Amino acid sequence: MGNVMIEAGGAYLALETGMGRQRFHAVWLRDNAWDAETRAPGNGQRLIALRDISPDIRIEAAEIAGTDLNVTFAPECKTISYDLNWLEVHAYDRPTLTETGWTAPGIEVWDGRLMANVPVANFGAVSGNVEAKRDWLAKVARYGFGKLTGGPVTPGALFKVVELFGYVRETNYGRHFEVRTEVNPTNLAYTGLGLQAHTDNPYRDPVPTVQVLYCLESSAAGGENMVVDGFAAALRLREENPDWFDVLTKYCARFEYAGEKGVRLRSRRPMIELSPDGELIAVRFNNRSAAAITDVPFDDMATYYAAYRRLGEIIDDPAMEVTFRLNPGECFIVDNTRVLHARKGYSGSGTRWLQGCYADKDGLLSTLAALEHRMPEAAE
Amino acid sequence: MGNVMIEAGGAYLALETGMGRQRFHAVWLRDNAWDAETRAPGNGQRLIALRDISPDIRIEAAEIAGTDLNVTFAPECKTISYDLNWLEVHAYDRPTLTETGWTAPGIEVWDGRLMANVPVANFGAVSGNVEAKRDWLAKVARYGFGKLTGGPVTPGALFKVVELFGYVRETNYGRHFEVRTEVNPTNLAYTGLGLQAHTDNPYRDPVPTVQVLYCLESSAAGGENMVVDGFAAALRLREENPDWFDVLTKYCARFEYAGEKGVRLRSRRPMIELSPDGELIAVRFNNRSAAAITDVPFDDMATYYAAYRRLGEIIDDPAMEVTFRLNPGECFIVDNTRVLHARKGYSGSGTRWLQGCYADKDGLLSTLAALEHRMPEAAE
């Protein structure tokens, strides 16, 4: 049970239940009513705007009835029932977080030790079974990447992967792009260089939030794929030196790409992006397309470069990386706002053919949330 | 001419030219070298990473030679030439901006007085003439919206508009969506309501950054389209009450849409979004999909709601709006991170058929930048 008290002349109420004391403002409660005049019963869209709620709104009466809280508002003279569980879940009367760099619930940061437990599923299973799909997408959301095995060795198969959860983000590179490498003794030295781990297209705003890389041929030794958790790297930087973390969050870097006719892509965003209340929401890291940094004042530039250098060292640290080989019919997807990827050097000749494309996280997280809503997973 | 001095043991240099004194760090200069070993001559991609630059880098020698600055670095013993103009444009030795809510160069905020000067062009002209296209895209970038007239009255013509500058962002609503309204005396009251100005899909992260609405039929009186500059609204709020502006930038709102099977879209982003250094970069405003706000602490919630209410009043103020009618073959595009749009109520019966789709700003701004690079406009 519990009890409820109206305070401050009806400006808010205080609800005391087994969960402690939670205050809710009159305007917040009225705005979040779920009656059929406030919210469309079919799709849940709010039918009123804030302008439809009196600025003089106050709580006139409130009582707990079973699992509901009934609230009567003045001057409207309207009574709304709230589910006590819903109120508990949506309570906002709590101390504010002060530490910056927190991550959303459900995100698990990782380092090279995840190698023993790479998020992987079978293409046929996730295509044919919604529970398998839910579980694989949940891993992708948790770790920021995931691998699929046993898919068709067919050009365009990567689109079937995107159809599992969302929609292709077409860009100037097309709906998809080809990554073909002929590795022979004369160019082995070059292709053997590998690439530093990076996020793709930081010069795009918004960046493509998901990337799919799908393997169709792979006969050269080496050339493994490697991923690094950019959130883990950022948090390690914060642990080592909070000032370095701060400087990469508080100033914008610039990225640019003008490598083809008719294209001049540019962005101005921080390498480590926080929400205004300190959530770690994105990492951008790409030496190839980093443009001159001009938004850091002279007095902070040396610190900025020290931080940028150290972040790169952390990203390069083999202890951070998870490496796996893609064989034909295998692919991986990455959250391009979080997980950096790279290709290792080759150690033998042959060919490698991947197809890649971009997609977006909104679709992926929506598909996952809908599956989880329909089929809640057993508590972990 | 000018002179250059090496300071702090080579950690930076100070350049004195007609433009004043500008200091540049050794590591910044080296990282931004444009020699063929540092940057690929073809596409400008950086070939080195910061890890390839010694942490002990310092400037050993520097001299001005004509329009160049030649800098020799130790311990590398490498001399790089910098164009003095390039350095001037990219100088970072200046006081930091302190005011939050500044807008990018080239952005012009507006209110209802823009009605006399709606950014408009002819579809045929922008399709056939790159200068006309450049000028129209420049207006769209400047004002956040633009209208096209004289286009084909053909389903799917909106894709031709997107092809002018970029790529469709496909979502769960499809590559495009239909907006059909039959206005007759029995539903006139309902459709006569109009909609509050809003940004689309704030529950998506990233939001679609461009929207196109293309008219194919319009026989009902009324139903005009209306746009409001969300940046102007945010800045007016700041002017009226800086605390209200701040509270909408420092806490996240939440948005949600779960109106169709298999879809549960959610986001957590502020209504007024700033870059970490205070640039006004996005506005999200949509009463229909606003979810319960749970990230504002109790002590700030009343202020938050007062600010949210006032922002809505500013958006509803007729002095802020630009209204225009779309006739068949006409369309408009909006920057969905900035400009709110709405449909006015109907005053007579008939039909209205629009097709809409989403696209992204990266393509639009890239196309514009490439055109401006190729054909600089006369100074305004």
Side-chain angles (χ1 to χ4, degrees), chain A residues 141-370:
Chain A
R142 174 171 298 269
Y143 299 109
F145 78 105
K147 197 181 157 183
L148 283 180
T149 59
V153 186
T154 318
L158 81 173
F159 296 131
K160 292 195 196 304
V161 176
V162 175
E163 282 165 19
L164 290 170
F165 61 80
Y167 305 90
V168 167
R169 169 102 74 99
E170 188 175 353
T171 69
N172 50 294
Y173 303 130
R175 279 181 63 78
H176 83 284
F177 45 90
E178 305 285 344
V179 188
R180 275 179 189 276
T181 321
E182 298 284 334
V183 195
N184 59 48
T186 57
N187 74 4
L188 197 58
Y190 164 65
T191 50
L193 284 174
L195 290 170
Q196 185 176 32
H198 58 275
T199 60
D200 260 37
N201 292 17
Y203 43 75
R204 215 179 276 290
D205 191 0
V207 298
T209 48
V210 168
Q211 177 170 23
V212 178
L213 278 170
Y214 197 105
C215 181
L216 293 171
E217 282 180 34
S218 184
S219 63
E224 291 86 4
N225 287 93
M226 186 257 271
V227 286
V228 173
D229 185 355
F231 283 5
L235 294 176
R236 184 170 150 194
L237 181 70
R238 185 185 64 174
E239 199 175 301
E240 290 182 7
N241 189 326
D243 292 342
W244 286 358
F245 176 83
D246 287 346
V247 82
L248 295 185
T249 65
K250 80 188 233 204
Y251 295 118
C252 285
R254 291 191 184 232
F255 300 93
E256 196 166 77
Y257 175 75
E260 59 189 90
K261 191 170 171 288
V263 173
R264 287 183 88 81
L265 290 154
R266 293 176 196 148
S267 73
R268 199 187 81 87
R269 288 274 183 172
M271 290 199 200
I272 302 175
E273 185 172 359
L274 303 177
S275 73
D277 53 357
E279 182 188 352
L280 181 51
I281 54 174
V283 168
R284 285 171 191 79
F285 192 87
N286 191 319
N287 66 297
R288 282 170 300 157
S289 58
I293 293 159
T294 55
D295 300 283
V296 178
F298 182 84
D299 290 343
D300 284 339
M301 189 62 91
T303 307
Y304 189 92
Y305 259 97
Y308 177 16
R309 179 183 292 275
R310 184 59 194 150
L311 180 62
E313 288 169 354
I314 291 170
I315 286 165
D316 290 341
D317 180 352
M320 299 296 285
E321 76 182 50
V322 165
T323 302
F324 49 85
R325 189 177 168 80
L326 284 189
N327 293 310
E330 297 183 344
C331 72
F332 76 101
I333 83 173
V334 285
D335 175 347
N336 189 49
T337 67
R338 170 182 172 192
V339 170
L340 297 82
H341 65 280
R343 196 207 62 223
K344 295 272 194 175
Y346 291 98
S347 54
S349 63
T351 63
R352 189 169 179 260
W353 178 21
L354 302 183
Q355 290 187 321
C357 74
Y358 298 119
D360 276 305
K361 249 168 93 170
D362 60 343
L364 190 151
L365 295 177
S366 166
T367 302
L368 172 60

Side-chain angles (χ1 to χ4, degrees), chain B residues 67-378:
Chain B
T67 59
D68 284 347
L69 173 72
N70 297 325
V71 181
T72 303
F73 297 95
E76 230 181 336
C77 245
K78 188 177 177 94
T79 300
I80 305 279
S81 282
Y82 299 86
D83 179 79
L84 284 172
N85 281 333
W86 188 92
L87 287 175
E88 190 189 299
V89 169
H90 293 87
Y92 56 88
D93 188 3
R94 53 174 187 258
T96 42
L97 291 164
T98 49
E99 190 191 49
T100 60
W102 54 276
T103 54
I107 294 261
E108 192 175 324
V109 296
W110 49 266
D111 61 20
R113 288 167 291 183
L114 187 67
M115 194 102 133
N117 198 21
V118 169
V120 63
N122 178 273
F123 178 85
V126 299
S127 302
N129 178 304
V130 286
E131 292 192 2
K133 178 157 109 173
R134 175 201 63 195
D135 294 347
W136 182 67
L137 291 177
K139 283 182 197 164
V140 172
R142 175 172 298 270
Y143 298 110
F145 78 105
K147 196 180 157 182
L148 284 179
T149 58
V153 187
T154 317
L158 80 174
F159 296 131
K160 292 195 197 303
V161 176
V162 176
E163 281 164 20
L164 290 170
F165 61 81
Y167 304 90
V168 168
R169 169 103 73 98
E170 188 175 352
T171 69
N172 50 293
Y173 304 130
R175 278 180 65 77
H176 83 284
F177 45 89
E178 305 285 344
V179 187
R180 277 180 188 275
T181 320
E182 297 285 336
V183 194
N184 60 48
T186 56
N187 73 3
L188 197 58
Y190 165 65
T191 51
L193 284 175
L195 291 171
Q196 186 176 33
H198 58 275
T199 60
D200 260 37
N201 293 16
Y203 42 76
R204 215 179 277 289
D205 191 1
V207 298
T209 49
V210 168
Q211 176 170 23
V212 178
L213 278 171
Y214 198 104
C215 181
L216 293 171
E217 282 180 33
S218 184
S219 64
E224 290 87 4
N225 287 93
M226 186 257 271
V227 286
V228 173
D229 185 354
F231 282 7
L235 294 176
R236 184 170 151 194
L237 181 71
R238 186 186 64 175
E239 200 175 300
E240 290 182 5
N241 189 326
D243 292 343
W244 286 357
F245 177 83
D246 287 346
V247 80
L248 294 185
T249 65
K250 80 188 234 204
Y251 294 118
C252 286
R254 292 190 184 231
F255 298 94
E256 196 165 76
Y257 175 74
E260 59 189 271
K261 191 168 171 292
V263 173
R264 286 183 90 80
L265 290 154
R266 292 176 196 150
S267 73
R268 199 187 82 88
R269 288 274 183 173
M271 290 199 201
I272 302 175
E273 185 172 359
L274 303 177
S275 73
D277 53 357
E279 181 189 352
L280 181 51
I281 53 173
V283 168
R284 286 171 191 80
F285 191 87
N286 191 319
N287 66 296
R288 282 169 300 156
S289 58
I293 293 158
T294 55
D295 300 283
V296 178
F298 181 84
D299 290 342
D300 285 339
M301 188 63 90
T303 306
Y304 189 94
Y305 259 97
Y308 177 16
R309 178 183 292 276
R310 183 62 194 149
L311 181 62
E313 288 169 354
I314 292 170
I315 287 165
D316 290 341
D317 180 353
M320 300 296 285
E321 76 182 49
V322 165
T323 303
F324 49 85
R325 188 177 168 81
L326 284 188
N327 293 311
E330 297 184 344
C331 72
F332 74 103
I333 82 172
V334 285
D335 175 347
N336 189 50
T337 67
R338 171 184 171 190
V339 170
L340 296 81
H341 65 280
R343 197 207 62 222
K344 295 271 193 175
Y346 291 97
S347 54
S349 64
T351 62
R352 190 169 178 260
W353 177 22
L354 302 182
Q355 291 187 319
C357 73
Y358 298 118
D360 276 304
K361 249 169 92 171
D362 60 343
L364 191 152
L365 296 176
S366 166
T367 302
L368 172 60
L371 290 172
E372 287 182 333
H373 183 71
R374 187 149 63 101
M375 305 175 299
E377 204 176 5

